Amino acid sequence: MAAAHAATKGTASALLTKTAASGRPPLVLALDFDKTLTEHDTIADVAAVARRIRPEHRDFEWFVDEYIKDHDCFEREWAAKIDSHRRDRDRGGSSAVDRGFLDEYLEALRPVENASLRRVVDHRILAGVTADDLFAAGTAVRFRPGAADTINHFIRTPDHSSSSICVVSINWSESFIRGALSANGVDHSLVDIYCNDMAFDAQTGLSTGHLPSAMVVASDKVAAIASVARAVAETHGRPPTIVYAGDSLTDLPALLDANVGLLFGDSKAPADWCEWLAVRFGEQRGARSDASQVLYKLDSWDKAVAAVEAHIS
């Protein structure tokens, strides 16, 4: 099964060779995973797979506590910078925070995130499992109601036969994500995955404990989606409509860059930053209709298809 999982990498690109029946622009549907598609954060579930096999591994709560300590220090350091920036903007006659400041703030989190990943690698808490173990564990994950239906709408609808669908996540296992997609009724071979996928020994098939830091902060997500969009534009000879769904502040830059952003959940941080950036939910931004952008705040997936279709029809 592990070989089958690996073979799916990139097969979603086959969708790009089709021609959309309606003549619509091609579509990139990019999706965060944890707490956007899923009902709860699953990073601890991924770690638990290895701990069940090797119970001597350090308890995951220690890693969470250490991360929270680092993150709290970061927030205390930046609180004054944020207040100062907002005051400077007010004095300059602008009530909005500069978008570049948001990007700077989120990029400054990279050392905090990298330190967390180094602790995980140094203690080898992800060592000793197979891709099959992770896929099987992923099948226990439940998606938010309507999430899988939304993905399948864009997979199966002829008007969207040129869609490229991908998950862009800071999760630690591609196989785990594929297991979750499969268990929730999505053909995972039609979805590309961009995440921090753990490394495996080529001979034993067991995870080594190493975790390449491919998807760490917001700019990594932005770069991954931009790369997908360039490939789609190259294939079709026209830029795609980009839809991104996420729930956290790490998702906000990608949500703002998308033609249609779908912000899920009730996290206070992204809503606060939207207010500071003077971004109003449901209000179209951009002077040209073909390059316009809109960010919706949704409490469920029930209205996601309608929101996207209204923008691209």
Side-chain angles (χ1 to χ4, degrees):
M1 189 185 294
H5 301 164
T8 61
K9 187 70 174 178
T11 56
S13 300
L15 289 175
L16 302 179
T17 63
K18 300 179 182 180
T19 302
S22 67
R24 288 176 171 181
L27 178 73
V28 171
L29 177 62
L31 308 156
D32 174 52
F33 183 67
D34 288 297
K35 298 182 75 174
T36 297
L37 293 180
T38 69
E39 293 182 339
H40 70 278
D41 191 282
T42 67
I43 294 289
D45 298 337
V46 174
V49 179
R51 198 160 197 271
R52 282 195 293 271
I53 296 170
R54 298 180 63 177
E56 71 274 14
H57 283 171
R58 191 158 198 166
D59 189 88
F60 187 68
E61 287 304 312
W62 179 82
F63 297 91
V64 174
D65 290 343
E66 291 302 303
Y67 174 78
I68 290 174
K69 289 177 190 175
D70 287 351
H71 198 276
D72 286 348
C73 288
F74 173 85
E75 289 293 343
R76 286 194 296 271
E77 176 188 340
W78 271 84
K81 295 181 181 179
I82 293 171
D83 288 343
S84 175
H85 179 81
R86 294 181 66 193
R87 285 195 301 270
D88 289 346
R89 297 288 289 181
D90 285 340
R91 283 195 293 268
S94 174
S95 59
V97 167
D98 180 72
R99 163 63 191 272
F101 184 72
L102 169 65
D103 293 338
E104 178 186 352
Y105 166 78
L106 292 173
E107 188 62 33
L109 269 167
R110 191 177 291 275
V112 174
E113 302 295 341
N114 280 336
S116 179
L117 291 177
R118 278 196 302 273
R119 282 190 288 268
V120 168
V121 171
D122 289 347
H123 287 269
R124 302 185 73 246
I125 67 167
L126 300 178
V129 299
T130 67
D132 288 350
D133 294 331
L134 292 158
F135 187 97
T139 62
V141 173
R142 292 294 166 261
F143 280 5
R144 295 170 61 133
D149 290 341
T150 299
I151 299 172
N152 286 329
H153 170 84
F154 292 104
I155 288 176
R156 296 168 181 167
T157 302
D159 280 357
H160 300 294
S161 58
S162 58
S163 299
S164 176
I165 300 173
C166 58
V167 170
V168 183
S169 171
I170 62 172
N171 198 282
W172 296 344
S173 171
E174 176 181 340
S175 294
F176 182 89
I177 293 172
R178 291 197 179 281
L181 288 166
S182 179
N184 285 275
V186 176
D187 184 347
H188 70 89
S189 70
L190 299 179
V191 180
D192 285 326
I193 311 291
Y194 302 90
C195 68
N196 301 307
D197 196 25
M198 63 182 73
F200 294 87
D201 184 280
Q203 292 188 329
T204 66
L206 296 177
S207 56
T208 64
H210 181 58
L211 187 65
S213 54
M215 202 68 58
V216 181
V217 294
S219 62
D220 297 328
K221 290 195 168 196
V222 169
I225 296 166
S227 178
V228 173
R230 284 193 299 270
V232 172
E234 203 171 293
T235 299
H236 291 279
R238 61 193 299 195
T241 297
I242 300 173
V243 178
Y244 182 69
D247 72 290
S248 72
L249 189 56
T250 302
D251 296 308
L252 187 55
L255 288 165
L256 295 173
D257 288 347
N259 298 105
V260 182
L262 305 174
L263 173 61
F264 287 92
D266 54 5
S267 177
K268 187 173 184 295
D272 284 347
W273 276 90
C274 284
E275 181 181 347
W276 298 342
L277 291 162
V279 173
R280 295 175 177 82
F281 297 120
E283 184 175 287
Q284 187 166 290
R285 311 185 310 279
R288 296 183 0 252
S289 60
D290 63 340
S292 63
Q293 298 167 304
V294 63
L295 176 61
Y296 294 103
K297 193 174 189 308
L298 304 178
D299 55 10
S300 74
W301 279 91
D302 296 343
K303 298 178 181 178
V305 170
V308 175
E309 294 286 4
H311 188 84
I312 64 179
S313 58

